Amino acid sequence: PRLTEIPCVINHETEVSCRRDQTEVYVPFSFIHSYFEVYGQVEQKEDGREVFEWSHSYSRVYEPSGVYSPTSTFLNFELYNVEARERVKCISGAEGVPISTQWQSSGYTYPIQIAQFGLSHYCKHLTEEAPQRVVVEDGDQHMGAWQVVGAASRVTRTLDLTTHTNVLRFKAPESPSKGAVVLSLADVTSQSLLVLSLHFLAQGNASFSVTVEFRDKKTEVVTVHYVRSDRLLQVKDRQIYYGLGERSGWSRITRNLLIDVHKAASSTPALRKKFKKVSRSKLRLLSLSLNGSGSIANVTLASAEHLHHFYDAADWLLRHQDQQGGWSIPVPRKVISGVLELGAGWYSAMAQGQAMSLLVRAAHHSGDPRYLRAAARATSLFTINATQGGVRAYFPGNTVWYEEYPTNPSLFVLNGFIYSLLGLYDLKEFSNDESDNSRELFDIGMRSLKTLLPLYDTGWGSLYDLRHFTTHVAPNRARWDYHTTHITQLLLLASLDPDPILSTTALRWKDYMNGHKAKHN
Amino acid sequence: PRLTEIPCVINHETEVSCRRDQTEVYVPFSFIHSYFEVYGQVEQKEDGREVFEWSHSYSRVYEPSGVYSPTSTFLNFELYNVEARERVKCISGAEGVPISTQWQSSGYTYPIQIAQFGLSHYCKHLTEEAPQRVVVEDGDQHMGAWQVVGAASRVTRTLDLTTHTNVLRFKAPESPSKGAVVLSLADVTSQSLLVLSLHFLAQGNASFSVTVEFRDKKTEVVTVHYVRSDRLLQVKDRQIYYGLGERSGWSRITRNLLIDVHKAASSTPALRKKFKKVSRSKLRLLSLSLNGSGSIANVTLASAEHLHHFYDAADWLLRHQDQQGGWSIPVPRKVISGVLELGAGWYSAMAQGQAMSLLVRAAHHSGDPRYLRAAARATSLFTINATQGGVRAYFPGNTVWYEEYPTNPSLFVLNGFIYSLLGLYDLKEFSNDESDNSRELFDIGMRSLKTLLPLYDTGWGSLYDLRHFTTHVAPNRARWDYHTTHITQLLLLASLDPDPILSTTALRWKDYMNGHKAKHN
Ligand SMILES: [Ca+2]
Ligand SMILES: [Ca+2]
């Protein structure tokens, strides 16, 4: 159809070229996209027909799958891939947990991220099909064809007296250039299994390394070394080093080589281009080398080792919980510069809650009472006010809030608060011990949520926090992915509590995602 | 330019036909209008060029003009035309105030409407040019050419001993069909002056009537009778009757014939069509007739008599203020049926405040102390809780609110609250008497406003009230004309109080009217 040009003047401010026919004016979507923040693209349908698909939001809601319990999956965390996130520098060699760069580029351990890492692997463990796994060396049923390179290198299999299993004892030069004990991995399996797991006992500076082939336009080969060092990650040309820290005695080490290569490449300008889009199918493990003196056992290659990562996170929480039962965050956080700031060492109710959710699941899975004790101790900070270094804040009218960011004045972040409630729920449901006050803290928190939830409802979306109420700045609208997080959380809570405010709010907030606003007066 | 058709699928819900070229998809504005609630139309510019004007809101903000004071104009009320509103049944003959049909179709006096009627005429009096006015009969300088119709009719001029002015004494049959004392108005002025004012003293069933010509496609003639009756308004064919109620002694009566004809016509199906779009230029007053026995004086025709209407409203407030200093509303109000309801006889902080603003101006203009005393008495209900029949409510944290609709649970209407604050401001600024607590009530209210104002901010518009917080329904978005009322009110308060929350909120809310939303996280 023939259309003519007509200028469209928007609020007397800007002009955009539109089209018109007799009865209608047509506005370019590129303008609508930026003006209204809606999304659209031409899609080809199966029958070849092209349609323009307009979506009000770019995010989606995850409906609860099955009945929630403290031992079930946690929301939709099976879809999380925490370690792949850009703000994760790498997985530490020393503790097997993600290192965050979100608020400090040098990297630090962020308990929320570590808990989410562990919870995501717990959920993947429950929801994914069983991973492929090949035993490479167990000193007994499966014996690798180890090659001894260099005059001083040796390898033997013995029964270890502390673990009562057969282990592989090795001795080789500490420097790989002078020799090593090497096992080819190229023919171990037809699949590309990229998660290496082994038990490791080092005498002195023992190390192991994996040589990896990356096939893209050009084939590249890198070697990832796991060495006795406190340095997190170092890259020298094609040699990648992860520090294992100080270790005494046997320890289980699980490394996802896809992640280890990907993180090394993205941290290194020279490698970043060559290793653009590192993906599972482009990688192949060529060999495993041992240097120095030590022992290894139970060497496997697998498509995934979710429970290993889960326990790496849970054990990090055990090791790093402090006297107050908390996991303090070692970097400052500037929510609004000069107005809402937290100095290094602050606690987060969300960290406490997510840790509880993880620890309760670890207690369930392992039966080890240390995890449950740690979860119970994590509640102490909920009864200490933010102004006293805790995480408790008050909305006028004595409404208690558990603060993700315990700033002064208060911030009242919604999603972090609900995560803290879920942690309390998991603990109070799982624990038979009434000595912790998780039940009371949860009940108080749920009352607060029902009281304040309407204040996050804007009639067309939700607010991330209540900073506008406490600091008189503009309201902080939740972007769509936080809006869907809110809805996903509310749907979960609605399955636990019949108060209609939870389900009606979730439904209304879902409607907002299709552009259905609340009525005006 | 040549464009092809492409279907646009909106949120997987609806489909609309769009146009596309190589790089752009064009969406019909008719869809955008209904989906996003924005407004647009093709406008012809002075140079003949056509442009499509897109406006985000249909309303506009009135910037404060000049310095606000308790005796100045009141916001932009000079633009109000209260009596012309559809929800005004008519102006009562008995008291000269509007009769509302908003919540009860039979009609009732609504103090907010009466106060706004009075305030609008006060503002028009201050801002409009002096009206045209012709004295028709003052028994002295201006003597009308009265015609005596019927054997029993008579007319004389005498000095009235109570008013010490010359008056016209008349005697004629009570029924106009049997005779009358008649004055032709057709040649009184070249202008069409439609506001009749006179002093009137009736013996028994005296009445007066005005014959009016309405020229449209066809010319119609109606007679408006002002009769001794309690009936508000009655129409019989072309005869319109307004009841003057019981009157003893002299009283001033001012009638806008444009309004009186218009309201009679719209209340009568048979007349409604014929009198579509009654406008000033189409009406002409033909004659004034007197029946029964009585006297008249100071008969004028004018283009406007704003002060008369202003005092009609102020005097209504004096007459109807009750023991509690209030003006109770005689009809029930269902804010949300079955959830938020008020039984007949409720008080409104907005009514009290608007009455105060009017009474303070009447005190200023007249010097009559009764008006200021009434304004001071109007504060009593501000210290009585809504649950006890007053207008005071509390937001959690002991934040006092003055309720336009004192429902239980609370409603927290914003614009009505600010109107109540302006009433308190006018009184505390104008009155030298510290015995009323208007200053304290105003200060408390301003603190509350600064505390709660952010909760009305949605990041893209404002909320009308906080019903979602108290009743868990959807937020009640303010439509654009209430949004601009909020802004106009805040700009006024910002001129009285330097707290930046008032001006920054007003500015941000103005930005929303151009589609500039608050940032998301
Ligand atoms: Ca968060
Ligand atoms: Ca109102």
Side-chain angles (χ1 to χ4, degrees):
Chain A
R2 202 121 190 113
L3 286 89
T4 56
E5 199 275 337
I6 183 169
C8 180
V9 177
I10 315 296
N11 303 317
H12 302 283
E13 287 184 341
T14 41
E15 194 171 311
V16 58
S17 169
C18 294
R19 302 289 176 269
R20 72 183 291 195
D21 59 20
Q22 290 81 347
T23 58
E24 186 64 85
V25 169
Y26 292 87
V27 182
F29 187 81
S30 58
F31 170 76
I32 296 169
H33 161 68
S34 60
Y35 185 92
F36 290 115
E37 301 174 26
V38 294
Y39 306 87
Q41 52 194 15
V42 176
E43 299 272 6
Q44 188 140 25
K45 289 287 162 190
E46 283 179 13
D47 59 6
R49 196 173 69 111
E50 287 191 318
V51 301
F52 186 72
E53 299 228 334
W54 162 312
S55 64
H56 197 81
S57 107
Y58 56 75
S59 194
R60 54 165 292 201
V61 171
Y62 294 92
E63 302 286 335
S65 58
V67 177
Y68 183 79
S69 85
T71 61
S72 70
T73 59
F74 187 83
L75 294 161
N76 58 327
F77 274 34
E78 61 272 18
L79 302 177
Y80 281 27
N81 193 356
V82 174
E83 52 270 49
R85 290 177 186 165
E86 221 175 305
R87 60 180 180 266
V88 171
K89 187 184 180 80
C90 64
I91 300 298
S92 82
E95 303 191 278
V97 295
I99 301 298
S100 178
T101 54
Q102 193 169 4
W103 303 315
Q104 192 173 86
S105 59
S106 60
Y108 60 96
T109 49
Y110 187 42
I112 291 176
Q113 193 174 69
I114 291 169
Q116 294 198 342
F117 168 76
L119 283 166
S120 74
H121 283 290
Y122 182 83
C123 295
K124 287 175 202 282
H125 164 70
L126 290 183
T127 56
E128 287 184 2
E129 283 183 35
Q132 266 118 41
R133 188 179 286 114
V134 171
V135 179
V136 171
E137 170 68 56
D138 63 4
D140 183 16
Q141 305 283 329
H142 303 87
M143 307 221 258
W146 296 91
Q147 289 174 281
V148 177
V149 181
S153 302
R154 270 191 301 267
V155 64
T156 55
R157 291 191 180 82
T158 62
L159 181 71
D160 183 74
L161 295 176
T162 57
T163 61
H164 304 285
T165 54
N166 285 335
V167 305
L168 189 92
R169 198 169 283 174
F170 62 88
K171 188 167 162 56
E174 286 186 7
S175 166
S177 62
K178 294 182 181 149
V181 172
V182 181
L183 177 66
S184 170
L185 300 173
D187 302 321
V188 163
T189 168
S190 59
Q191 307 283 330
S192 199
L193 304 180
L194 300 178
V195 181
L196 169 69
S197 178
L198 48 77
H199 284 83
F200 189 64
L201 174 69
Q203 275 125 34
N205 289 327
S207 70
F208 63 93
S209 58
V210 182
T211 302
V212 183
E213 186 185 66
F214 171 64
R215 292 188 215 200
D216 208 3
K217 274 166 243 157
K218 238 183 97 188
T219 296
E220 300 275 352
V221 173
V222 296
T223 303
V224 189
H225 302 267
Y226 301 94
V227 299
R228 181 162 182 151
S229 156
D230 289 331
R231 292 198 60 169
L232 194 57
L233 171 58
Q234 251 190 305
V235 182
K236 290 179 188 159
D237 190 25
R238 297 291 186 276
Q239 308 301 311
I240 297 165
Y241 299 87
Y242 281 92
L244 297 175
E246 298 287 325
R247 289 173 182 260
S248 59
W250 282 100
S251 61
R252 194 256 310 135
I253 297 172
T254 299
R255 304 304 303 182
N256 182 336
L257 271 301
L258 173 65
I259 294 295
D260 283 350
V261 170
H262 170 68
K263 295 295 178 183
S266 23
S267 76
T268 313
L271 291 185
R272 207 178 295 144
K273 274 189 205 163
K274 293 192 202 291
F275 286 78
K276 233 187 288 180
K277 299 195 181 173
V278 177
S279 72
R280 186 176 297 270
S281 61
K282 293 177 186 167
L283 284 190
R284 210 160 63 101
L285 307 193
L286 298 180
S287 63
L288 169 63
S289 300
L290 310 171
N291 284 87
S293 295
S295 304
I296 59 172
N298 302 319
V299 184
T300 62
L301 288 178
S303 58
E305 291 287 6
H306 297 309
L307 285 176
H308 292 183
H309 301 308
F310 166 65
Y311 280 111
D312 280 347
D315 291 345
W316 186 94
L317 291 171
L318 284 190
R319 275 195 302 280
H320 294 275
Q321 189 173 32
D322 66 19
Q323 287 301 314
Q324 298 200 75
W327 295 272
S328 73
I329 290 119
V331 296
R333 169 86 172 104
K334 296 188 178 185
V335 178
I336 305 176
S337 262
V339 179
L340 289 181
E341 298 195 349
L342 294 166
W346 53 282
Y347 293 103
S348 166
M350 177 166 166
Q352 301 300 113
Q354 298 260 276
M356 279 184 234
S357 291
L358 178 68
L359 290 166
V360 164
R361 283 164 175 79
H364 159 71
H365 187 269
S366 69
D368 184 337
R370 293 177 304 149
Y371 296 116
L372 193 58
R373 281 201 299 269
R377 289 181 56 219
T379 60
S380 303
L381 285 162
F382 285 77
T383 55
I384 300 174
N385 289 345
T387 49
Q388 304 297 317
V391 300
R392 185 173 62 185
Y394 289 91
F395 188 86
N398 263 323
T399 299
V400 167
W401 198 259
Y402 308 133
E403 288 276 40
E404 178 175 352
Y405 303 110
T407 51
N408 184 17
S410 303
L411 191 57
F412 301 114
V413 173
L414 179 57
N415 81 88
F417 175 67
I418 297 180
Y419 280 130
S420 78
L421 291 183
L422 292 176
L424 292 167
Y425 178 83
D426 290 342
L427 179 57
K428 73 132 177 142
E429 287 291 300
F430 185 78
S431 172
N432 295 315
D433 184 354
E434 296 291 319
S435 69
D436 72 74
N437 50 359
S438 55
R439 183 172 305 274
E440 190 195 346
L441 291 170
F442 176 77
D443 290 344
I444 291 170
M446 281 300 283
R447 276 200 298 279
S448 298
L449 179 66
K450 293 169 191 174
T451 301
L452 298 188
L453 186 59
L455 300 184
Y456 296 86
D457 193 334
T458 69
W460 71 313
S462 55
L463 297 179
Y464 181 79
D465 55 38
L466 299 183
R467 63 179 62 187
H468 61 307
F469 181 72
T470 53
T471 70
H472 292 181
V473 297
N476 187 22
R477 297 164 46 211
R479 60 174 195 256
W480 286 118
D481 48 4
Y482 276 106
H483 183 70
T484 52
T485 295
H486 292 158
I487 296 170
T488 301
Q489 291 179 324
L490 290 175
L491 288 171
L492 173 53
L493 291 179
S495 76
L496 308 176
D497 184 319
D499 191 313
I501 193 176
L502 301 169
S503 49
T504 57
T505 302
L507 284 176
R508 188 164 55 245
W509 290 12
K510 272 206 255 184
D511 268 355
Y512 296 161
M513 298 180 64
N514 290 328
H516 305 303
K517 300 177 275 282
K519 286 207 194 75
H520 59 63
N521 71 326
Chain B
R2 204 120 192 113
L3 286 89
T4 56
E5 200 276 336
I6 182 169
C8 179
V9 177
I10 315 295
N11 303 316
H12 302 285
E13 286 184 341
T14 42
E15 194 172 311
V16 59
S17 170
C18 294
R19 303 289 177 267
R20 71 182 292 194
D21 59 19
Q22 291 80 346
T23 58
E24 187 65 85
V25 169
Y26 292 87
V27 182
F29 187 80
S30 58
F31 170 75
I32 295 169
H33 161 69
S34 60
Y35 186 91
F36 291 114
E37 300 175 24
V38 293
Y39 305 87
Q41 52 194 16
V42 176
E43 300 272 6
Q44 189 140 24
K45 289 287 161 191
E46 283 179 11
D47 59 6
R49 197 172 69 109
E50 287 191 318
V51 301
F52 186 72
E53 299 228 337
W54 162 312
S55 65
H56 198 80
S57 106
Y58 56 75
S59 195
R60 52 165 292 201
V61 171
Y62 295 91
E63 301 287 333
S65 58
V67 176
Y68 183 79
S69 86
T71 62
S72 70
T73 58
F74 188 82
L75 294 160
N76 59 327
F77 274 33
E78 61 272 17
L79 302 176
Y80 280 28
N81 193 355
V82 174
E83 51 270 49
R85 290 178 187 166
E86 222 175 304
R87 59 179 180 267
V88 171
K89 188 184 180 78
C90 63
I91 300 298
S92 83
E95 304 191 277
V97 296
I99 302 297
S100 178
T101 54
Q102 193 169 4
W103 303 316
Q104 192 173 88
S105 59
S106 60
Y108 60 96
T109 50
Y110 187 41
I112 291 176
Q113 193 174 70
I114 291 170
Q116 294 199 342
F117 168 75
L119 282 167
S120 75
H121 283 289
Y122 181 82
C123 296
K124 287 176 202 283
H125 164 70
L126 290 183
T127 55
E128 288 184 3
E129 282 182 36
Q132 266 118 42
R133 188 179 287 114
V134 171
V135 179
V136 171
E137 169 69 55
D138 63 3
D140 182 15
Q141 304 284 328
H142 302 88
M143 307 222 257
W146 295 90
Q147 290 174 279
V148 177
V149 182
S153 302
R154 271 193 300 268
V155 63
T156 55
R157 291 193 180 80
T158 63
L159 181 71
D160 183 76
L161 295 176
T162 57
T163 60
H164 303 285
T165 54
N166 286 335
V167 304
L168 188 92
R169 198 170 284 174
F170 62 89
K171 188 167 163 52
E174 288 188 5
S175 165
S177 62
K178 294 181 181 148
V181 171
V182 181
L183 177 66
S184 170
L185 300 173
D187 302 321
V188 163
T189 168
S190 59
Q191 306 283 332
S192 199
L193 303 180
L194 300 177
V195 181
L196 169 69
S197 177
L198 47 78
H199 284 81
F200 189 66
L201 174 69
Q203 275 127 32
N205 289 329
S207 70
F208 63 94
S209 59
V210 181
T211 303
V212 183
E213 186 185 64
F214 172 64
R215 291 187 215 202
D216 207 4
K217 274 165 245 158
K218 240 183 95 190
T219 296
E220 300 274 350
V221 174
V222 297
T223 303
V224 189
H225 303 267
Y226 301 95
V227 299
R228 181 162 180 151
S229 156
D230 289 331
R231 290 198 62 170
L232 194 58
L233 170 60
Q234 252 190 305
V235 182
K236 289 179 188 159
D237 190 23
R238 297 292 186 273
Q239 309 301 309
I240 297 165
Y241 298 88
Y242 281 93
L244 297 175
E246 298 288 326
R247 289 174 183 258
S248 59
W250 282 99
S251 61
R252 195 257 308 135
I253 297 172
T254 300
R255 304 303 303 182
N256 182 336
L257 271 301
L258 173 66
I259 294 294
D260 282 352
V261 170
H262 170 69
K263 295 295 178 183
S266 21
S267 75
T268 314
L271 292 185
R272 207 178 297 143
K273 274 190 205 164
K274 292 192 202 291
F275 286 78
K276 233 187 287 179
K277 298 195 182 173
V278 178
S279 73
R280 184 176 299 270
S281 60
K282 292 176 184 166
L283 284 190
R284 210 159 63 100
L285 307 194
L286 299 180
S287 62
L288 170 62
S289 300
L290 310 171
N291 284 88
S293 295
S295 303
I296 58 172
N298 303 320
V299 184
T300 62
L301 288 178
S303 58
E305 292 287 7
H306 296 309
L307 286 176
H308 292 184
H309 301 308
F310 166 64
Y311 280 112
D312 280 348
D315 291 346
W316 185 94
L317 291 171
L318 284 190
R319 275 194 302 279
H320 293 276
Q321 190 173 31
D322 66 19
Q323 287 301 315
Q324 298 199 76
W327 296 272
S328 73
I329 290 118
V331 296
R333 170 86 172 105
K334 297 188 178 185
V335 178
I336 306 176
S337 261
V339 179
L340 289 181
E341 299 194 349
L342 294 166
W346 53 282
Y347 293 104
S348 167
M350 179 167 165
Q352 302 300 114
Q354 299 260 275
M356 279 184 233
S357 291
L358 179 67
L359 291 166
V360 163
R361 282 165 176 80
H364 159 71
H365 187 268
S366 68
D368 184 336
R370 292 177 305 149
Y371 295 117
L372 193 57
R373 281 202 299 271
R377 290 181 55 219
T379 60
S380 303
L381 286 162
F382 285 77
T383 55
I384 300 174
N385 289 345
T387 49
Q388 303 298 317
V391 300
R392 185 173 62 186
Y394 289 91
F395 188 86
N398 264 323
T399 298
V400 167
W401 199 259
Y402 309 131
E403 288 275 39
E404 177 175 352
Y405 304 110
T407 51
N408 183 17
S410 303
L411 191 57
F412 300 114
V413 173
L414 179 58
N415 80 88
F417 175 66
I418 297 180
Y419 281 130
S420 78
L421 291 183
L422 292 176
L424 291 167
Y425 178 83
D426 289 343
L427 178 59
K428 73 131 177 142
E429 287 291 301
F430 185 78
S431 172
N432 295 314
D433 184 355
E434 295 291 322
S435 69
D436 74 72
N437 50 0
S438 55
R439 183 172 305 274
E440 190 194 345
L441 291 170
F442 176 76
D443 290 344
I444 291 170
M446 281 299 284
R447 276 201 297 279
S448 299
L449 178 66
K450 293 168 191 174
T451 301
L452 297 188
L453 186 59
L455 300 184
Y456 295 86
D457 192 334
T458 69
W460 71 312
S462 57
L463 297 178
Y464 180 79
D465 55 37
L466 300 183
R467 63 179 61 187
H468 61 307
F469 181 72
T470 53
T471 71
H472 293 181
V473 297
N476 187 20
R477 296 165 44 213
R479 60 175 195 256
W480 286 119
D481 47 4
Y482 276 107
H483 183 70
T484 53
T485 296
H486 293 158
I487 296 169
T488 301
Q489 291 180 325
L490 289 175
L491 289 171
L492 172 53
L493 290 178
S495 76
L496 308 176
D497 184 319
D499 191 312
I501 192 176
L502 301 169
S503 49
T504 57
T505 302
L507 283 176
R508 187 163 55 244
W509 289 13
K510 273 207 253 184
D511 267 355
Y512 296 161
M513 296 180 64
N514 291 328
H516 304 303
K517 301 177 274 283
K519 287 206 193 77
H520 59 65
N521 71 326

